[in-house]
Amino acid sequence: MDALVESARQCVQAGQLQHAASLYSQILQLEPQHSEALNFFATQALSSGQFSQSIELLQRALVNSSSDASLHKNLGLAYRGRGELPEALAAFERALEIRPAFAEAHGNIGRLLGEQGKYAEALARFDQATLVQPGSVSAHHNRALTRLLMGNFADAWPEYEWRWQLADVRKRPGGIAWEGE
């Protein structure tokens, strides 16, 4: 079983998700409540917008791994995707109870608060995320966006430069950043 799990992990790291899915399916045939395999399929469902399926898989995984902060964080993302914000917040908060220095959970709470127009509270969560993980690109980027929404341009613009480190941010054609010209 250990070799099968390790092979599946290596496939995920190499981006070979179809092969990983095959291996994780084999793992679930041997151990139907294997939390890592369930989490793999839950994140696949999450990324394809199948939020209810993701929630079901994560709840199954949490039966045997209730102290796994990442599972609670993923559950929060699935609830958020389904529009169940109180449940999402509760899942993110549970992740932080387990792992207080979990920058992603702080950031996800910040995003939820920001979407509700609670910018000061959101900013505090992004501040916390950057304290526990100073190099978190998404935390800095979200903090900058929140400051822009609050009208705090002087602090926002310098930090907004973190956006260039996000994978989905593109520079102008030719790879040259626009500098206001």
Side-chain angles (χ1 to χ4, degrees):
M1 175 70 92
D2 291 342
L4 199 55
V5 171
E6 187 55 36
S7 293
R9 287 177 185 157
Q10 289 174 359
C11 287
V12 170
Q13 289 176 348
Q16 301 169 346
L17 299 182
Q18 287 183 329
H19 188 55
S22 174
L23 294 170
Y24 279 124
S25 290
Q26 292 175 43
I27 291 166
L28 287 175
Q29 288 174 357
L30 298 169
E31 189 181 326
Q33 292 302 113
H34 192 277
S35 63
E36 183 177 330
L38 290 167
N39 187 50
F40 171 81
F41 287 112
T43 58
Q44 295 299 299
L46 184 61
S47 68
S48 63
Q50 298 171 339
F51 305 118
S52 295
Q53 180 182 2
S54 182
I55 290 167
E56 177 188 322
L57 291 165
L58 289 162
Q59 287 174 335
R60 281 180 52 200
L62 283 164
V63 169
N64 292 328
S65 299
S66 63
S67 63
D68 185 331
S70 292
L71 292 176
H72 289 281
K73 185 261 306 178
N74 289 341
L75 183 61
L77 292 173
Y79 277 128
R80 180 177 177 259
R82 205 161 72 174
E84 298 178 35
L85 302 186
E87 290 82 358
L89 181 60
F92 294 139
E93 292 287 4
R94 178 67 183 124
L96 287 173
E97 288 172 13
I98 296 165
R99 190 180 350 152
F102 195 1
E104 282 184 76
H106 284 291
N108 282 305
I109 292 171
R111 289 179 62 201
L112 278 178
L113 294 168
E115 289 167 2
Q116 296 171 23
K118 300 176 182 178
Y119 301 129
E121 293 175 57
L123 187 59
R125 288 300 185 144
F126 297 134
D127 288 344
Q128 187 63 35
T130 59
L131 282 174
V132 298
Q133 189 178 343
S136 171
V137 175
S138 65
H140 282 284
H141 181 247
N142 284 318
R143 188 164 69 174
L145 291 175
T146 302
R147 285 179 170 158
L148 287 171
L149 288 168
M150 295 172 77
N152 183 350
F153 302 118
D155 291 333
W157 285 121
E159 192 162 38
Y160 193 55
E161 291 300 308
W162 282 84
R163 74 190 181 282
W164 298 117
Q165 296 180 43
L166 293 170
D168 60 345
V169 173
R170 304 282 186 256
K171 295 184 179 181
R172 282 184 18 194
I176 301 169
W178 182 71
E179 296 185 9
E181 67 275 356

